[in-house]
Amino acid sequence: MSAVAVEPVVRVENLCLGLQSGEPVVDGVTFSVGPGEIVGLVGESGSGKTTTALSLLGYTRRGIVVRGGTVEVGGESVLGRDRRALRGLRGNTVSYVPQDPGGALNPSMRVGDAILDVLRAHRRGGAAAESVRAALERVELGRDPRFAGRYPHQLSGGQQQRVTIAMACVCDPPVAVLDEPTTGLDVLTQDRILAELRRLRDEDGMAMVYVTHDLAVVSQRADRITVMYAGRVVENGQASDVLERPRHPYTRALVEAIPDFRKPRALRGITGVSVGVGEWPNGCAFAPRCAYEQTRCHETVPVLEETVPGHHVRCLRWMELDLQAGERSNGRAAGVAVESAPLLEVSGLEARYRSSRSGAPAVADVSFAVEQGRCVALVGESGSGKTTIGRCIAGLHVPAAGTISFDGVPIAGTARRRPLEVRRRIQIVFQNPFESLNPRQRVRSSIIRPLRVLRRLSRAEAEREVGELLERVKLPARLGERFPVELSGGERQRVAIARALAARPDLLVCDEVTSALDVSVQAAVLELLQELQRDLRLSMLFITHNLGVVACIADSVLVMDRGSLCETGTVSEVLAQPSHDYTRRLLAAAPCLPDGAL
Amino acid sequence: MSDALRFLRTPSGAIGGGIVLFVVLVAALGPYLAPHDPTAPVGIPLTGSSSHAWLGTDFLGRDVLSRVLNGGRSVIGYAAAATVLAYLVGMAIGLIAGYTRSMVDPVLMRTVDVMLAFPPLLFLLVLIAGAGTSITVLIIGVAAIQAPAISRIVRTATLEVSTRGYVEAGIARGERAFAVVGREVLPNILAPVLVDAGLRFTYSILIIASVNFLGLGLQPPNSDWALMISENRTYIQLNAFSVLVPAAMIGLLTIGINLTGDAIARSLGRSYVPRTTRSVTS
């Protein structure tokens, strides 16, 4: 931004927040946002990014207290104000777009009334209905005059999010705080929302603080990027500068964790687990996971230093490190091009939901094959039927028509009717790691179960293998004694993978296994799956909506649109020369890094 | 079993557990400690406290203390039997309806709706009129009143848990429905299902007491806390102990059970072991 001299609309200085019990959550965060500027606030879960963003609204979550620092929005100080003053401020000077619009909109309030509510709180009388219409028009929901009379449940996720954005900008606040507004939306919707936000900024000059864990999402839209780790800002600068010349090892690791279909590379996860509140080490919080760490890193907390004007980094070694050299491999390390017999063959598959009142099947006439040792990706938006296909293969959903053959033999629709050997050889890993492990069982017993049931091992034999399996997924054997609540999302997903591997499967169905994980954790899980596939000669059906992930893990790809396959081919063909219009749109919408990025 | 008894470490669990233990001990050991025969008159009716009868005498001149010490077994025993039976039946129905997701579900649930439509006391009276006055009929009747509501809660909880990955993993392994429900579903629905177990137990006591009061349940001269309240309630001015002490015992039991129930439900909601430091992976 050229306007350096212009007074910033948001100024956060030395903000310190902590738990009531004393542990710091946010420590000395300083940043500012100029008028009409989009700042990306990036970090893994637990980095304090949302806590920081919420403080711009004068809000702290329960149990969190302000320890020091100032937050100024639109020239007014926010911290320490009473409720009344904050009410005048919120929505008028600074507004908020939540992560989950379905949960944020009042289900018993028509969307027009919800927008009117915000107006009434800040504006007196006059042309209210007109303003509501204008607000909906701004987010491109104005065409249908009846739209304002709808209830949230009648809208799609994308429409709901646009309504919250309309609510956020109806009073023309100079600043909006966006908390992961596109997480949970599919790629096409995400792209539309991002374009909309960009347009709002360009037309109305609204400044935005965009909170996300995914650098790729903000990389093309943000003017500046602030990277947080363990409650501190570790790097902060112009977006292009941060992405092209990251000075902090953490930023570089984050960039390297992004799967980008245009620049496929061997993904590298960040080793270790993000530190939680109350676990901060003495020195640099990133040191335990850093590849460049030295003794002194563990002793002193580095200060935020200016590298070039407008670019700050918090690293003791930023001057000596050259973080440019990231070797770029060609994604899939030379896919073994040996023609092999198909292990799984699906032909003419049709599946319906029992509850669906309309006659349209969820999946119609889908045929494909997965060859031995290959990874086939199944791509599509939410609701395209890709998960249903995975469930049919795993024996959890009975197809209405068509056949599924495994190793040349047609198999039954329900798992119970399949022979033991088939059940053992096909394993599935589910999307949500927080729901895929029984919370009442120790990790060990979750893994023992398939060993006992599917491989008929004795208890003693099964016990012996647990440690081996945990090691296989790169978890320490002692984790077996833990309960799932004690594990992070990434660790849980590894346990779920170990549970599937326990059966010694030939085919692994991975249903959106990384979509609930942070980008850095996703990279580590993908790395693991790749390695397992190579070492165990696993065949995989990888269900995902992320084309970047497809590029780095799959050999061939199937694109689904509204229940049927619209394009199939090898990954390189489909991603480089998509023939179907839908694939082209998916590719155009996929978030990726700008050309110059590391 | 230290995991299962963890709730005792919370204040409400410790206090509630203590109260329940006290009332249960009184009910269990009372008959051996009672100074007099609970059914024989020992003096003038409705006298106050004396060295002979510490809590005075009731409307027939029987020793109130002895009757209190003898009167707990039936209240606790029948109410507990009815509540346990109600949970067994209700959970079975709810689990089947919620887990199978077939036509069994609407059939069972509509039946349950019909059951819920009956006024509970009327239902019990009709049952007693038909099957006669007996303890078995009373217990079955009270269980039948409670089971439908339990089955609804169990069904809802089961529906929610059944879509989780760990349940589906079990189904995909081809395990028998019984094994999947027992291992994966049941342990995870216990917390919401048992939250109101205390209230239900209290309600069982209430219904049994009502039926006793109407003369259709336990018959005099049996000693029973509920029966004592109904027998002596007209004479409360003359010997308050004859009503207040059995009422206090039922009250204590109710409070104790509810406190314990809350504590158990809360400890089930958490993990079994305290959170330890995160491990470093890979």
Side-chain angles (χ1 to χ4, degrees):
Chain A
M1 288 255 100
S2 55
V4 179
V6 179
E7 195 64 6
V9 286
V10 174
R11 204 200 312 251
V12 177
E13 246 158 74
N14 200 24
L15 179 69
C16 298
L17 302 164
L19 294 183
Q20 260 153 3
S21 49
E23 288 95 345
V25 176
V26 167
D27 182 27
V29 165
T30 300
F31 69 95
S32 61
V33 185
E37 208 177 21
I38 300 181
V39 171
L41 201 54
V42 182
E44 289 172 283
S45 352
S47 61
K49 57 187 192 303
T50 300
T51 311
T52 304
L54 287 173
S55 71
L56 299 187
L57 295 135
Y59 179 79
T60 49
R61 275 178 288 193
R62 188 181 279 230
I64 291 180
V65 288
V66 180
R67 295 247 184 268
T70 55
V71 176
E72 272 178 38
V73 177
E76 294 175 83
S77 170
V78 171
L79 297 181
R81 285 208 173 190
D82 62 19
R83 278 158 187 263
R84 253 181 97 83
L86 283 173
R87 210 179 297 152
L89 190 88
R90 293 173 185 162
N92 209 15
T93 312
V94 52
S95 60
Y96 178 69
V97 176
Q99 174 168 1
D100 168 24
L105 290 170
N106 184 339
S108 61
M109 211 176 205
R110 295 172 194 274
V111 298
D113 293 338
I115 298 173
L116 208 56
D117 231 27
V118 183
L119 270 174
R120 286 216 189 95
H122 298 293
R123 301 270 185 276
R124 242 156 242 272
E130 194 51 38
S131 312
V132 169
R133 215 171 49 77
L136 284 173
E137 243 157 49
R138 263 160 118 185
V139 292
E140 292 175 353
L141 290 172
R143 253 160 284 151
D144 185 353
R146 285 166 303 174
F147 192 88
R150 303 241 170 94
Y151 286 101
H153 72 265
Q154 297 171 300
L155 313 180
S156 69
Q159 285 174 325
Q160 287 177 344
Q161 194 57 284
R162 279 173 209 216
V163 170
T164 62
I165 293 171
M167 286 169 75
C169 54
V170 66
C171 289
D172 290 308
V175 188
V177 174
L178 306 125
D179 188 3
E180 306 242 13
T182 62
T183 308
L185 300 178
D186 51 62
V187 199
L188 292 176
T189 320
Q190 164 168 293
D191 191 51
R192 250 171 281 155
I193 299 264
L194 288 175
E196 210 118 281
L197 291 173
R198 184 80 183 218
R199 199 172 50 75
L200 281 173
R201 193 281 295 270
D202 292 344
E203 287 173 10
D204 305 330
M206 194 194 285
M208 298 178 186
V209 175
Y210 193 110
V211 179
T212 181
H213 69 94
D214 190 350
L215 256 179
V217 170
V218 287
S219 65
Q220 303 225 344
R221 316 273 174 185
D223 302 302
R224 285 196 298 123
I225 290 176
T226 298
V227 182
M228 286 188 70
Y229 186 77
R232 299 189 186 109
V233 172
V234 293
E235 186 155 6
N236 170 9
Q238 297 295 323
S240 53
D241 208 20
V242 170
L243 293 167
E244 285 162 28
R245 295 204 57 200
R247 283 6 178 250
H248 198 284
Y250 178 64
T251 315
R252 177 187 146 158
L254 275 185
V255 175
E256 283 194 327
I258 298 172
D260 188 338
F261 73 89
R262 295 189 310 167
K263 290 179 225 156
R265 59 175 136 203
L267 289 184
R268 238 177 301 145
I270 307 178
T271 49
V273 181
S274 171
V275 287
V277 170
E279 299 168 356
W280 296 2
N282 281 330
C284 170
F286 188 62
R289 302 170 72 189
C290 185
Y292 305 95
E293 131 278 354
Q294 293 179 330
T295 331
R296 58 187 174 130
C297 296
H298 296 278
E299 285 153 6
T300 37
V301 177
V303 291
L304 207 57
E305 288 176 78
E306 187 156 55
T307 58
V308 291
H311 193 133
H312 298 81
V313 65
R314 190 190 287 274
C315 177
L316 291 174
R317 303 189 62 201
W318 69 269
M319 258 195 279
E320 38 188 296
L321 290 180
D322 176 20
L323 300 176
Q324 295 310 297
E327 97 265 26
R328 197 160 288 173
S329 87
N330 224 8
R332 294 275 292 139
V336 206
V338 186
E339 267 315 304
S340 53
L343 180 67
L344 177 85
E345 273 181 291
V346 173
S347 67
L349 187 74
E350 183 183 314
R352 292 169 183 276
Y353 294 130
R354 208 156 21 113
S355 57
S356 131
R357 255 163 267 161
S358 68
V363 174
D365 195 26
V366 166
S367 305
F368 65 90
V370 179
E371 281 97 21
Q372 207 109 42
R374 309 270 284 182
C375 175
V376 175
L378 191 54
V379 187
E381 282 178 280
S382 44
S384 62
K386 53 191 195 307
T387 292
T388 309
I389 294 181
R391 291 171 54 82
C392 286
I393 293 167
L396 293 167
H397 190 112
V398 183
T403 53
I404 301 173
S405 304
F406 187 73
D407 221 358
V409 184
I411 51 175
T414 45
R416 218 79 189 98
R417 300 228 179 85
R418 295 179 181 174
L420 180 72
E421 215 24 32
V422 172
R423 295 193 316 248
R424 178 185 72 72
R425 293 175 67 192
I426 303 177
Q427 288 292 310
I428 182 166
V429 182
F430 298 96
Q431 172 171 14
N432 188 342
F434 296 92
E435 289 188 352
S436 69
L437 299 176
N438 189 335
R440 298 249 164 266
Q441 282 175 9
R442 289 178 199 279
V443 163
R444 182 167 42 80
S445 13
S446 284
I447 297 176
I448 284 179
R449 195 67 186 166
L451 292 171
R452 304 267 291 148
V453 174
L454 297 173
R455 290 193 26 221
R456 304 255 185 251
L457 294 188
S458 70
R459 178 151 287 280
E461 286 171 315
E463 294 271 2
R464 266 198 299 278
E465 239 189 273
V466 172
E468 235 169 80
L469 282 160
L470 284 171
E471 242 162 66
R472 192 78 254 184
V473 295
K474 311 224 161 80
L475 290 174
R478 64 191 149 79
L479 234 66
E481 298 308 313
R482 303 272 180 87
F483 282 95
V485 273
E486 301 171 273
L487 308 182
S488 69
E491 287 171 329
R492 290 182 205 207
Q493 203 57 296
R494 281 165 198 267
V495 173
I497 293 170
R499 180 178 64 187
L501 290 180
R504 294 214 177 129
D506 293 320
L507 175 72
L508 197 59
V509 178
C510 297
D511 183 9
E512 299 260 19
V513 287
T514 60
S515 64
L517 304 175
D518 273 1
V519 175
S520 58
V521 183
Q522 163 174 292
V525 170
L526 290 175
E527 206 182 348
L528 170 71
L529 284 172
Q530 260 175 332
E531 190 189 308
L532 291 173
Q533 201 212 345
R534 202 175 49 234
D535 296 356
L536 307 174
R537 276 189 58 72
L538 274 176
S539 310
M540 274 205 281
L541 180 66
F542 199 92
I543 300 167
T544 180
H545 64 265
N546 188 331
L547 287 166
V549 170
V550 172
C552 77
I553 196 162
D555 301 298
S556 58
V557 61
L558 314 162
V559 185
M560 282 203 81
D561 183 20
R562 276 162 290 163
S564 49
L565 290 180
C566 67
E567 181 160 2
T568 58
T570 64
V571 168
S572 47
E573 276 167 23
V574 174
L575 296 187
Q577 291 153 334
S579 62
H580 197 277
D581 186 47
Y582 179 73
T583 318
R584 267 184 231 124
R585 285 198 291 138
L586 272 185
L587 282 168
C592 47
L593 295 169
D595 291 325
L598 185 73
Chain B
M1 284 307 283
S2 67
D3 274 358
L5 292 176
R6 220 169 56 117
F7 71 90
L8 285 176
R9 265 181 258 155
T10 62
S12 64
I15 295 171
I19 294 176
V20 172
L21 188 68
F22 167 72
V23 178
V24 168
L25 280 180
V26 167
L29 304 179
Y32 308 109
L33 304 174
H36 301 286
D37 178 354
T39 53
V42 294
I44 308 160
L46 300 167
T47 53
S49 174
S50 69
S51 61
H52 182 57
W54 290 354
L55 296 178
T57 56
D58 74 352
F59 76 115
L60 290 177
R62 296 171 295 197
D63 178 29
V64 170
L65 177 63
S66 301
R67 285 182 70 76
V68 166
L69 289 174
N70 275 284
R73 278 187 180 181
S74 53
V75 176
I76 297 177
Y78 301 156
T83 312
V84 168
L85 186 63
Y87 268 95
L88 288 179
V89 175
M91 288 183 78
I93 294 176
L95 282 169
I96 293 170
Y99 183 73
T100 58
R101 282 187 254 174
S102 60
M103 277 310 290
V104 182
D105 177 21
V107 169
L108 280 176
M109 281 303 114
R110 293 303 80 77
T111 316
V112 160
D113 288 347
V114 172
M115 294 281 291
L116 279 170
F118 281 107
L121 210 53
L122 187 69
F123 172 82
L124 199 55
L125 294 182
V126 170
L127 190 73
I128 290 172
T133 325
S134 83
I135 295 308
T136 325
V137 173
L138 188 66
I139 289 175
I140 291 177
V142 173
I145 289 170
Q146 304 257 42
I150 296 172
S151 72
R152 292 220 75 123
I153 298 174
V154 173
R155 173 181 171 267
T156 311
T158 308
L159 277 179
E160 198 196 322
V161 169
S162 296
T163 59
R164 301 267 161 89
Y166 50 88
V167 179
E168 301 215 304
I171 298 171
R173 282 194 296 265
E175 295 193 38
R176 271 175 303 147
F178 204 73
V180 178
V181 168
R183 266 183 73 86
E184 320 284 352
V185 180
L186 197 58
N188 291 297
I189 62 167
L190 280 183
V193 168
L194 291 183
V195 173
D196 60 356
L199 268 182
R200 290 199 188 283
F201 182 70
T202 316
Y203 188 58
S204 296
I205 294 177
L206 210 86
I207 301 176
I208 292 175
S210 314
V211 173
N212 288 349
F213 176 78
L214 292 174
L216 295 169
L218 212 59
Q219 302 297 324
N222 274 314
S223 57
D224 173 276
W225 291 341
L227 210 57
M228 287 175 73
I229 300 170
S230 76
E231 285 168 348
N232 295 307
R233 75 199 146 81
T234 5
Y235 317 105
I236 190 165
Q237 302 99 316
L238 298 172
N239 181 6
F241 288 133
S242 63
V243 175
L244 294 186
V245 174
M249 293 306 283
I250 294 182
L252 270 179
L253 181 62
T254 311
I255 293 169
I257 285 186
N258 279 300
L259 284 175
T260 317
D262 275 359
I264 293 177
R266 232 174 294 141
S267 80
L268 279 176
R270 280 199 224 108
S271 76
Y272 284 109
V273 282
R275 202 186 160 81
T276 43
T277 45
R278 289 247 190 96
S279 63
V280 174
T281 53
S282 63

